[in-house]
Amino acid sequence: MSSMQDPGPGGPATASFDFPALRRFPDIEAPNLYAHDATDELILAGAADRLAALAGTHDGGSLAVVGDRYGALALGAAARHGLAGIRVHQDALSGELAAANNAERLGLGGRHVSMPLVPGLFSGATVVLWQLPRSLDELAETAALIRTHAAPGVQVVAGGRVKHMTLAMNEVLGSHFHHVVPGRAWHKSRLLMVDGPREGVPAPDFPRKEFNAHLGLWLCAHGATFGGTKLDLGTRFLLDFLPRMRPAATAVDLGCGNGTIAAALATARPGLQVWATDQSAAAVASAAATAAANGLGAQVTVVRDDALARFPAGSAELVVLNPPFHVGATVHAGIALKLFDAAGRVLAPGGELWTVYNRHLDYRPQLQGRVGATEVMGRNSKFTVARSVAGWGSRG
Ligand SMILES: C[S@@+](CC[C@H](N)C(=O)[O-])C[C@H]1O[C@@H](n2cnc3c(N)ncnc32)[C@H](O)[C@@H]1O
């Protein structure tokens, strides 16, 4: 990221950390996808004084990190300042696994502990490093936890890409903290220095809960969940085909988000057992909340998992999928293909994968090769719905 001529993001001189040595694995790796960005470097530079002071008190346990992509923040703090006991929350399981892999590879094993987004992540923290999310709900949910549970003197060193930062974000942060001060910008990233937790502010209510009249279902969502409590338009179209999906004793809602598909399947077929799975911690918590809100808790089991890794090969009869086509902020088909491969692996011969995707994408050949015989079942102005039958095609 920084070059020989580049003075770097600034801050006091510290031990070096080899950012390019970080890997994204097991997340998608490709030449245009990186395991760290300028924001990571800027946050670590902006927090350097505070982190050096923590090292002096041998109190690395006071550092919390949130939104770390692949471990650059936690491992950078560990390497540069000799810190340990760093509490880290990453919504994506692949990021959590990548940080653990990176820690081992870089000789920094045991310096951080991965945690869910719960009060204990921040309790007593005096420094918080934060890669800011783009979703205002995710921002609000996390800000409220920091404000309520971190030490009163906490310094939050937050940062993001300038193009993704809005004044609305400052307003959300300002409703939880007295001071939200823009810091320096470097390589299209900017810092926000945040401190002074406000007292007596009502905590925002998460998971949010909204009744969807089209489905006749409650949809619940924690802040970091794709689409929040809304019914995704592609999913809405996909669910029109639910009566044509094969009879099955069990089904998988792959990439479940707020659990819309799992709840719709369970409601339509009262004997069906549904696995709702996603790599996002917020998504699985939301899907569980959606199932409970609709009285479907006994029919829906949620699992946080990366692309069905914990599901045995040949174990599923029906998989239903609305795949993402973004990897973070980058448009990249790799994640959809990874999920097609996952479905192809776990489906038993004759099992069906039902997928919805944007009309301008032609995934039929990929589905045919990775899952089995694939037929386009419907199209509207925006989306295509396809059915792939495992074991009957030219599986590659
Ligand atoms: C387009 S959203 C669909 C969400 C939900 N099914 C719906 O219909 O609203 C895609 C989902 O795939 C999840 N996802 C992305 N990569 C994944 C992976 N490697 N394993 C499991 N889920 C993943 C995302 O977290 C996201 O919730």
Side-chain angles (χ1 to χ4, degrees):
M1 192 63 57
S2 37
S3 68
M4 290 288 283
Q5 289 77 32
D6 191 328
T14 49
S16 65
F17 179 65
D18 187 10
F19 287 103
L22 293 166
R23 285 192 54 191
R24 299 166 57 99
F25 176 83
D27 203 353
I28 302 286
E29 297 196 297
N32 64 334
L33 298 174
Y34 303 95
H36 87 288
D37 66 6
T39 309
D40 293 315
E41 295 192 47
L42 199 52
I43 290 172
L44 283 171
D49 284 338
R50 289 293 192 129
L51 296 175
L54 280 187
T57 58
H58 301 288
D59 193 9
S62 294
L63 172 61
V65 178
V66 61
D68 207 2
R69 304 285 194 264
Y70 301 96
L73 292 176
L75 301 179
R80 286 185 167 178
H81 302 281
L83 298 175
I86 303 167
R87 287 169 279 172
V88 184
H89 175 70
Q90 296 161 277
D91 184 64
L93 180 60
S94 55
E96 199 176 300
L97 298 172
N101 287 340
N102 283 324
E104 288 307 321
R105 283 182 34 256
L106 302 178
L108 294 166
R111 303 285 198 93
H112 78 279
V113 52
S114 290
M115 295 184 63
L117 190 66
V118 293
L121 174 68
F122 298 114
S123 58
T126 54
V127 183
V128 175
L129 309 183
W130 189 6
Q131 268 266 11
L132 292 168
R134 289 163 72 179
S135 142
L136 294 181
D137 266 355
E138 184 175 357
L139 191 75
E141 187 171 15
T142 305
L145 282 170
I146 300 172
R147 187 244 302 156
T148 313
H149 300 286
V154 65
Q155 176 67 61
V156 181
V157 183
R161 303 298 277 166
V162 172
K163 66 180 176 187
H164 298 147
M165 295 172 82
T166 62
L167 287 177
M169 292 168 71
N170 294 34
E171 277 169 32
V172 169
L173 291 169
S175 67
H176 293 280
F177 294 90
H178 289 288
H179 309 118
V180 180
V181 181
R184 63 177 104 80
W186 180 73
H187 283 228
K188 301 181 182 169
S189 290
R190 183 177 290 287
L191 280 186
L192 289 180
M193 303 299 279
V194 181
D195 61 67
R198 291 184 187 274
E199 283 179 13
V201 183
D205 208 9
F206 286 100
R208 297 202 190 284
K209 185 177 171 188
E210 193 178 339
F211 188 73
N212 185 281
H214 176 77
L215 295 172
L217 291 170
W218 290 96
L219 299 181
C220 302
H222 287 273
T225 311
F226 168 87
T229 54
K230 299 292 173 223
L231 169 59
D232 179 74
L233 287 177
T235 298
R236 179 178 168 142
F237 186 46
L238 177 61
L239 289 175
D240 287 347
F241 296 82
L242 201 155
R244 297 171 69 182
M245 297 177 190
R246 61 160 282 167
T250 60
V252 178
D253 173 1
L254 173 54
C256 62
N258 62 20
T260 301
I261 293 173
L265 282 166
T267 306
R269 301 186 183 186
L272 184 68
Q273 284 296 317
V274 186
W275 298 90
T277 177
D278 201 296
Q279 69 148 342
S280 155
V284 292
S286 303
T290 292
N294 294 291
L296 301 167
Q299 256 183 286
V300 177
T301 306
V302 302
V303 184
R304 186 174 179 226
D305 192 12
D306 180 16
L308 300 177
R310 291 168 56 187
F311 288 69
S315 63
E317 298 162 276
L318 176 62
V319 176
V320 186
L321 168 66
N322 174 357
F325 69 106
H326 283 87
V327 178
T330 312
V331 176
H332 196 276
I335 186 63
L337 302 183
K338 177 174 168 174
L339 297 180
F340 297 164
D341 282 336
R345 185 182 66 79
V346 304
L347 279 171
E352 292 180 1
L353 168 67
W354 284 77
T355 315
V356 64
Y357 45 89
N358 283 14
R359 200 186 154 97
H360 68 85
L361 297 167
D362 181 13
Y363 278 146
R364 209 185 72 83
Q366 281 94 344
L367 287 163
Q368 179 92 19
R370 291 162 194 266
V371 183
T374 298
E375 191 180 343
V376 169
M377 305 302 284
R379 280 206 175 96
N380 67 12
S381 60
K382 286 194 169 144
F383 301 104
T384 299
V385 167
R387 179 189 62 187
S388 309
V389 182
W392 292 359
S394 53
R395 219 196 263 195

